[in-house]
Amino acid sequence: MNEMNFDRLKAFLEERFYWDPASIKISPLNGGFSNLTFLVETPKGKFALRRPPFGYKINTAHDMARESGIQEALHRAGYTKAPKSILLYEDDRILGAPFFVMEYIEGTVIRNRRPSGIIPNKEEFEKLAWNTIDALLELHHLELRESGLLLLGKPEGYVERQILGWTDRYLRAKTDEIAEMEKVAEWLKSNIPKKENYAFIHNDFKYDNLILEPEDISEIKAVLDWEMSTVGEPLMDLGTSLAYWAQEDDEDILKMFNLTHLPGNPTRQEVIEYYDRKSGLDLSNMLYYYVYGLFKVAVIAQQIYKRYKLGQAEDPRFAALIEVVKAAGRKAEKSILTEKI
């Protein structure tokens, strides 16, 4: 927080929007391990501000201009669950990094832990789960060409680029010898599917990236965190969501990202069967995309853990992320050997 000059930001907002700096209040919003989000309360209402994390930068994942542009394109495509982008500032003179301001959507966010008083009951979780998969399907069925969404990605060869890219990121962020991760990376490279689908994909679709109706927390108001979205293989998107879709019988460390292990949530296999019925895609090779999802989750954790090890990030939560890497590697290798998701 001490790396950000809020007085400078308030002066900029006064210049741009004529907001009284004395009436602007800025506070951090709780979130995940990636881009930072702040609540900006002004005389004209509430807004949200996004900027990259401090320290080591993963440039493509934290590109503010791209994330802002994606949200604008989604609205052009008729996808109303993305917050509207209001202002993009691409220089680093105000906050030490580029940032953008978007509409703030009031609602409930279910965090990756048991928050006091905001736990859906069994029936609410069951409805929320299917609404979540429906929201993912809605995204995957968006029209691409006329909306301009197709320009936001390169679908041809997407799967191979992802496999090679995430393997390279793992090797560059590696801190510990984890045999399972090496084996999984080799298996993924050796079994790249020949057939590819393409759709607009989110790449981080899970409960804590949803804003829910406070009066009915099974209903989705908005979807957040578009920083990694693109045009590519929708089954990779589903595979990533499944990697976060922890079940009751999974290792506890893998339950830290999503509350899908609580009563009322369907199993990963039930999610696959539901998506299969509604997507029109061939899901016979879903094991591959699930293993990919686990590998990607592990690499993201590894990247953040390396930042922590290098002293570039101080959040104490990051110390445990190497255990996520190990557990996800074990789960991926077991899934390959048993052919079970």
Side-chain angles (χ1 to χ4, degrees):
M1 197 73 63
N2 57 6
E3 296 185 48
M4 295 183 62
N5 188 323
F6 288 135
D7 289 338
R8 195 176 297 159
L9 175 62
K10 290 177 182 179
F12 170 77
L13 294 175
E14 179 188 26
E15 179 183 325
R16 183 61 62 93
F17 297 116
Y18 306 104
W19 295 339
D20 176 13
S23 301
I24 299 174
K25 180 182 178 183
I26 303 170
S27 54
L29 290 170
N30 293 328
F33 299 97
S34 191
N35 284 342
L36 306 177
T37 308
F38 297 86
L39 173 62
V40 182
E41 298 176 81
T42 80
K44 293 295 184 180
K46 296 179 180 179
F47 301 88
L49 181 146
R50 293 271 282 171
R51 63 145 284 165
F54 300 120
Y56 180 72
K57 292 180 181 177
I58 309 166
N59 292 327
T60 55
H62 304 302
D63 186 328
M64 294 293 99
R66 185 174 187 278
E67 186 174 351
S68 173
I70 284 169
Q71 293 179 197
E72 291 176 354
L74 285 167
H75 278 274
R76 289 197 301 270
Y79 191 83
T80 59
K81 290 186 174 68
K84 293 179 181 177
S85 179
I86 295 168
L87 168 71
L88 170 67
Y89 188 81
E90 297 189 71
D91 207 319
D92 62 0
R93 287 177 292 179
I94 293 176
L95 293 182
F99 66 88
F100 74 97
V101 177
M102 61 184 177
E103 67 174 325
Y104 176 78
I105 299 175
E106 297 276 2
T108 299
V109 177
I110 304 223
R111 299 293 175 192
N112 308 325
R113 55 191 176 274
R114 291 173 180 259
S116 58
I118 318 176
I119 284 286
N121 60 35
K122 183 177 179 181
E123 291 73 22
E124 289 169 332
F125 251 138
E126 182 176 5
K127 187 178 177 183
L128 173 61
W130 300 130
N131 286 345
T132 298
I133 305 307
D134 282 338
L136 185 63
L137 283 158
E138 180 187 357
L139 186 67
H140 292 172
H141 286 149
L142 287 178
E143 191 280 327
L144 298 177
R145 294 186 184 278
E146 292 189 12
S147 67
L149 286 173
L150 190 59
L151 300 175
L152 295 171
K154 299 177 181 178
E156 295 80 10
Y158 178 81
V159 175
E160 182 175 14
R161 287 199 309 275
Q162 291 300 298
I163 300 304
L164 297 180
W166 285 106
T167 299
D168 179 62
R169 292 181 198 108
Y170 175 69
L171 294 175
R172 285 189 281 116
K174 183 176 172 181
T175 55
D176 298 55
E177 290 295 332
I178 304 174
E180 293 89 347
M181 288 293 289
E182 309 282 349
K183 293 175 185 176
V184 170
E186 189 57 40
W187 183 84
L188 287 168
K189 285 191 287 185
S190 300
N191 292 277
I192 295 174
K194 292 182 172 58
K195 181 183 177 182
E196 286 189 282
N197 309 288
Y198 64 91
F200 195 80
I201 60 180
H202 183 275
N203 270 326
D204 198 25
F205 212 90
K206 50 186 169 58
Y207 285 159
D208 71 332
N209 280 333
L210 307 177
I211 297 179
L212 310 177
E213 288 282 358
E215 301 304 316
D216 181 358
I217 55 176
S218 64
E219 294 296 328
I220 299 169
K221 287 186 72 174
V223 179
L224 302 174
D225 286 5
W226 296 94
E227 62 191 89
M228 292 189 289
S229 53
T230 186
V231 178
E233 172 59 74
L235 298 184
M236 280 187 145
D237 205 10
L238 178 60
T240 298
S241 292
L242 289 171
Y244 286 122
W245 201 277
Q247 298 178 173
E248 186 180 3
D249 57 350
D250 288 333
E251 291 187 47
D252 285 346
I253 192 74
L254 295 177
K255 297 175 183 177
M256 67 183 290
F257 298 108
N258 216 359
L259 293 181
T260 50
H261 54 90
L262 297 181
N265 286 282
T267 64
R268 286 186 289 267
Q269 189 58 46
E270 288 171 333
V271 170
I272 291 169
E273 291 167 1
Y274 184 87
Y275 185 96
D276 189 18
R277 291 195 300 270
K278 293 201 166 190
S279 69
L281 301 177
D282 178 7
L283 270 66
S284 59
N285 197 21
M286 200 60 224
L287 174 68
Y288 182 88
Y289 302 106
Y290 172 61
V291 171
Y292 156 77
L294 286 168
F295 184 76
K296 186 173 85 167
V297 168
V299 177
I300 293 171
Q302 180 67 63
Q303 289 178 308
I304 301 170
Y305 179 72
K306 184 175 183 179
R307 284 171 51 204
Y308 175 81
K309 288 281 284 185
L310 292 174
Q312 296 171 340
E314 299 177 358
D315 192 321
R317 296 177 301 166
F318 296 170
L321 290 179
I322 191 63
E323 299 305 322
V324 172
V325 182
K326 294 175 182 177
R330 286 193 297 269
K331 184 72 175 177
E333 185 185 36
K334 182 179 179 181
S335 296
I336 293 169
L337 294 175
T338 62
E339 298 185 350
K340 291 183 179 180
I341 295 174

